[in-house]
Amino acid sequence: MKTLLLSKDDVRQLISMSEVIGAVEDAYKAFNSDQVIQPGYIGIDLPDPRGEIDFKVGYCKAGELISMKASSGGFVDNPTAYGVPSGMASIILFDGRSGALICVMDGSLILGLRTGASGAVSVKALARKNASTVASIGTGNQARMQIRAVSEIINIEEIYAWDSNPEAVLQYQADIQAEFGIPVTVSRSKKDAVTRADILITTTRGKGSLVEADWVRPGTHIVAIGTDQRGKQELDPEIFRNAKVVVDSMMQCTEKGETWHPIDREIIAKEDIHGEIGEILLGQKPGRESDDEITIFDSTGMAIQDNTTAGRIYRNAVANGVGTFFSFFGE
Amino acid sequence: MKTLLLSKDDVRQLISMSEVIGAVEDAYKAFNSDQVIQPGYIGIDLPDPRGEIDFKVGYCKAGELISMKASSGGFVDNPTAYGVPSGMASIILFDGRSGALICVMDGSLILGLRTGASGAVSVKALARKNASTVASIGTGNQARMQIRAVSEIINIEEIYAWDSNPEAVLQYQADIQAEFGIPVTVSRSKKDAVTRADILITTTRGKGSLVEADWVRPGTHIVAIGTDQRGKQELDPEIFRNAKVVVDSMMQCTEKGETWHPIDREIIAKEDIHGEIGEILLGQKPGRESDDEITIFDSTGMAIQDNTTAGRIYRNAVANGVGTFFSFFGE
């Protein structure tokens, strides 16, 4: 029995964004087909200036894999003190048939990739067919990942970008134009960006000012990425009043996603949520039903997305002979 | 940044039972000194004939290590279908200062070792100084491990062994006499073994008949190993009525240890429990106070024992240049 070891460089070469999008679709569908066991996560919080390590476990029946992702974040002294990033991640995979440890891989690319892919899956299911402009509120790493993923689904003609940090948005403009050849307009205000967009993507980590309700045009699809815990918020909760609200996980989004805010303010009730994205992908519920609807996809992120993404990477590695085998247990 | 990989063979050569006993003492003391974060565990239960995989996380401030143990059990078809045991385990270690993944090791030896050591630590703290005979109720792998550990603490002159399976007890007798040179008497009844013992060790997994209260002599120290979840039981709860009861974790033992039974039957109250073993090791509470006391140590097992044991193994490996380094993340 041997365990496959995959470094960050191995992982990078083993998966394309289009495959991650497929893996995330698989995850959402499995989640709504009784194929998934996904218990709550365990976290260890360390004293400042250190951060936390979270452990998330998932089992997907279709792939017969059990995944455990350990991800750290907020170790702010790491770059200077130890020459490593402030957050790192590892994923280990067990064969669901035997419980055997079959793979240990670096996980630092996977969170970004699968979160980007979640926006793209929602665009496929919920955006207008002719959507071609994107407002990017927030211009960090995940904002770029969203463009990388969404441009696999639609032809983005223009991006309107806004960030609270003017230098960050200029760097984003230069990078996106160079990497994807998509023209990026640096918007003077958040409103300016939002009013021009067919698709609004928020990746600000939810600690700043909100996107206001009357900026959002009919027909807009909103990808709400930045809120995955209490205390974060990116959208005026009034936006939810007449929108079609789709979540990745009903439980997570109503407890700690963007959707928690309008429920807390009693702008919508849980029953007003249209459904989970897996239900739409499985054809159990309709996606967009008119060109005028405002659709919102609230993504909090699920362990099962890591599971299916890491599973594709593992299978690609085995198929292509990439990686290093190690025998932890006998021969 | 490199990660150390340790195989089962590496682990075997890297730690002695006396060091595991030291590590388990460290764990118990740390647990009672606000040095430990040890959240509840996550489990994935798979359909029959498969078993479960459990994930247990612990942080120990003294060693600045975060440990995650994944252990599987109950995959009964494994030996025939896949040529691997029905249960396996892996331990991964993170540096608490940076969150970096520093070690992945086979964990299949550690549960047995650290559970054996827990009995030995309790013998040191609670058995009579002149204790020299052991009743071994249950004669499987953990029964042997207990002997291996306890014989580091006292000179065992005679073992009285009983098992519901007569072949198992004969094999145990042969193995123990060969490995340790300790004479083993195969007892005709459980009572016969118990009435002769200074130290009574129960490792039956708690699905059979009970050790009865009037068999237990004054001065006996009882090591109750086999009950770590509801539905298991090894001791007549009446034994607890006048005994000094010491637990590894108050929370675990009163919820799912041997101690749950007398509490449930209202034979004792939680307040009657003398304390946690770490409190005794730290000198915060007395251990045995007379030669006539019956003492009970209820061991349910804690993640922090894996943490300190794996930590010793890791440090020994680094010190002795054992193991294989792999770079998951950059150079």
Side-chain angles (χ1 to χ4, degrees):
Chain A
M1 206 202 86
K2 288 184 185 289
T3 301
L4 184 62
L5 311 174
L6 298 173
S7 71
K8 186 175 176 181
D9 285 344
D10 293 333
V11 170
R12 186 182 283 113
Q13 65 164 285
L14 281 167
I15 192 141
S16 66
M17 180 53 94
S18 69
E19 281 185 293
V20 179
I21 293 171
V24 169
E25 280 190 294
D26 289 348
Y28 290 147
K29 287 182 189 170
F31 182 66
N32 288 98
S33 317
D34 276 337
Q35 297 258 327
V36 168
I37 303 175
Q38 193 178 245
Y41 75 100
I42 299 176
I44 301 269
D45 284 309
L46 295 159
D48 285 335
R50 293 179 285 173
E52 76 288 335
I53 303 196
D54 291 338
F55 297 85
K56 286 184 184 163
V57 172
Y59 164 64
C60 186
K61 199 173 158 187
E64 275 304 356
L65 287 176
I66 293 159
S67 59
M68 195 287 304
K69 183 174 75 168
S71 53
S72 61
F75 288 72
V76 293
D77 289 351
N78 271 4
T80 50
Y82 305 107
V84 294
S86 61
M88 293 173 276
S90 311
I91 296 183
I92 64 181
L93 295 177
F94 300 88
D95 188 327
R97 294 164 301 184
S98 65
L101 174 66
I102 55 172
C103 187
V104 183
M105 68 174 77
D106 182 74
S108 48
L109 297 173
I110 290 176
L111 175 63
L113 287 166
R114 62 89 157 155
T115 305
S118 75
V121 171
S122 83
V123 165
K124 207 166 156 184
L126 292 165
R128 294 200 321 276
K129 291 298 157 230
N130 62 349
S132 65
T133 58
V134 169
S136 186
I137 305 298
T139 58
N141 179 53
Q142 183 49 225
R144 292 149 207 251
M145 206 58 92
Q146 289 290 327
I147 297 303
R148 190 170 153 196
V150 171
S151 63
E152 295 274 341
I153 306 298
I154 63 164
N155 186 26
I156 304 176
E157 286 172 10
E158 179 94 41
I159 297 169
Y160 301 94
W162 182 88
D163 199 292
S164 58
N165 175 351
E167 281 169 40
V169 71
L170 289 172
Q171 189 61 54
Y172 172 87
Q173 181 184 44
D175 293 346
I176 292 286
Q177 292 186 167
E179 188 174 350
F180 302 102
I182 302 171
V184 175
T185 300
V186 175
S187 295
R188 282 167 310 172
S189 70
K190 201 185 280 187
K191 177 180 177 181
D192 226 48
V194 172
T195 53
R196 287 163 199 267
D198 299 327
I199 296 169
L200 163 61
I201 302 176
T202 59
T203 57
T204 63
R205 296 164 186 267
K207 300 286 188 186
S209 64
L210 306 181
V211 169
E212 295 183 17
D214 54 10
W215 303 345
V216 179
R217 294 190 305 188
T220 303
H221 174 57
I222 302 174
V223 180
I225 295 292
T227 301
D228 58 357
Q229 51 180 258
R230 288 279 173 91
K232 295 186 182 179
Q233 187 174 12
E234 298 184 309
L235 302 175
D236 177 353
E238 280 296 332
I239 299 174
F240 284 74
R241 191 180 294 277
N242 297 307
K244 177 175 274 180
V245 181
V246 175
V247 296
D248 55 3
S249 150
M250 193 68 89
M251 197 186 76
Q252 289 186 14
C253 291
T254 58
E255 277 178 14
K256 58 182 190 174
E258 195 65 45
T259 305
W260 178 80
H261 295 283
I263 290 173
D264 181 57
R265 296 270 299 275
E266 298 185 354
I267 291 167
I268 62 167
K270 280 190 193 181
E271 300 73 53
D272 297 323
I273 296 170
H274 179 64
E276 290 175 326
I277 190 147
E279 297 177 284
I280 294 171
L281 298 174
L282 290 164
Q284 295 166 355
K285 287 188 179 169
R288 171 174 291 272
E289 289 166 287
S290 89
D291 277 356
D292 287 339
E293 277 185 317
I294 292 172
T295 50
I296 302 174
F297 176 56
D298 184 7
S299 165
T300 48
M302 299 195 290
I304 205 65
Q305 294 169 251
D306 301 318
N307 182 301
T308 56
T309 304
R312 290 237 183 169
I313 291 166
Y314 171 71
R315 288 191 299 272
N316 286 348
V318 171
N320 295 294
V322 174
T324 306
F325 280 99
F326 185 81
S327 181
F328 283 101
F329 186 85
E331 287 319 299
Chain B
M1 207 203 86
K2 290 185 184 289
T3 300
L4 185 62
L5 311 173
L6 297 174
S7 71
K8 185 174 177 182
D9 285 343
D10 292 333
V11 170
R12 186 182 284 115
Q13 66 165 283
L14 281 167
I15 191 141
S16 66
M17 181 54 94
S18 70
E19 281 185 293
V20 179
I21 293 170
V24 169
E25 280 190 294
D26 289 348
Y28 290 146
K29 287 182 187 170
F31 182 66
N32 287 98
S33 316
D34 275 337
Q35 297 258 329
V36 168
I37 304 175
Q38 195 178 244
Y41 75 99
I42 298 176
I44 301 270
D45 284 309
L46 295 159
D48 284 338
R50 294 178 286 174
E52 76 287 335
I53 303 196
D54 291 338
F55 297 85
K56 287 185 183 162
V57 173
Y59 164 63
C60 185
K61 199 172 157 188
E64 274 305 354
L65 288 177
I66 293 160
S67 59
M68 194 289 303
K69 183 174 77 169
S71 53
S72 61
F75 288 72
V76 292
D77 289 351
N78 271 5
T80 49
Y82 307 107
V84 294
S86 62
M88 292 173 276
S90 311
I91 296 183
I92 64 181
L93 296 176
F94 301 87
D95 188 326
R97 294 165 300 184
S98 64
L101 174 67
I102 55 173
C103 187
V104 183
M105 69 174 75
D106 182 74
S108 48
L109 297 172
I110 291 177
L111 175 65
L113 288 165
R114 62 89 158 157
T115 304
S118 75
V121 171
S122 84
V123 165
K124 206 165 156 186
L126 293 165
R128 292 201 322 277
K129 291 298 156 228
N130 62 350
S132 65
T133 57
V134 170
S136 187
I137 304 299
T139 58
N141 179 54
Q142 183 50 226
R144 291 149 207 251
M145 205 58 91
Q146 289 289 329
I147 298 304
R148 190 171 153 196
V150 171
S151 63
E152 296 275 340
I153 305 297
I154 63 165
N155 185 25
I156 304 176
E157 286 172 11
E158 179 95 40
I159 297 169
Y160 301 94
W162 182 88
D163 198 292
S164 57
N165 175 350
E167 281 169 38
V169 71
L170 289 173
Q171 189 61 54
Y172 171 89
Q173 180 184 46
D175 293 346
I176 293 286
Q177 291 187 168
E179 187 174 350
F180 302 101
I182 302 172
V184 175
T185 300
V186 174
S187 295
R188 283 169 308 173
S189 69
K190 202 185 280 188
K191 177 179 178 181
D192 226 48
V194 172
T195 53
R196 288 163 198 268
D198 299 327
I199 296 169
L200 163 61
I201 302 176
T202 59
T203 57
T204 61
R205 297 164 186 265
K207 302 285 189 188
S209 64
L210 307 181
V211 169
E212 294 182 18
D214 54 10
W215 303 346
V216 180
R217 295 188 306 186
T220 303
H221 173 57
I222 302 174
V223 180
I225 294 292
T227 300
D228 59 357
Q229 52 180 254
R230 288 280 173 90
K232 295 187 181 178
Q233 186 174 13
E234 298 185 311
L235 301 176
D236 177 353
E238 281 295 333
I239 300 174
F240 284 74
R241 192 181 292 278
N242 297 307
K244 177 175 274 179
V245 181
V246 176
V247 296
D248 55 3
S249 150
M250 193 67 89
M251 196 186 77
Q252 289 186 15
C253 291
T254 58
E255 277 180 13
K256 58 182 188 172
E258 195 66 42
T259 306
W260 178 81
H261 295 283
I263 290 174
D264 180 56
R265 296 269 300 274
E266 298 183 353
I267 291 166
I268 62 167
K270 279 189 193 184
E271 300 73 54
D272 298 323
I273 297 171
H274 179 64
E276 290 175 327
I277 190 146
E279 297 177 285
I280 295 171
L281 298 175
L282 289 164
Q284 296 167 354
K285 288 189 178 168
R288 171 174 290 271
E289 289 166 287
S290 88
D291 277 355
D292 287 339
E293 277 185 318
I294 292 172
T295 51
I296 302 175
F297 176 56
D298 184 7
S299 165
T300 49
M302 299 195 290
I304 204 64
Q305 294 170 251
D306 301 319
N307 182 301
T308 56
T309 305
R312 291 239 181 168
I313 291 166
Y314 171 72
R315 288 191 299 273
N316 286 349
V318 170
N320 296 294
V322 174
T324 306
F325 280 98
F326 185 80
S327 181
F328 283 102
F329 186 82
E331 284 319 299

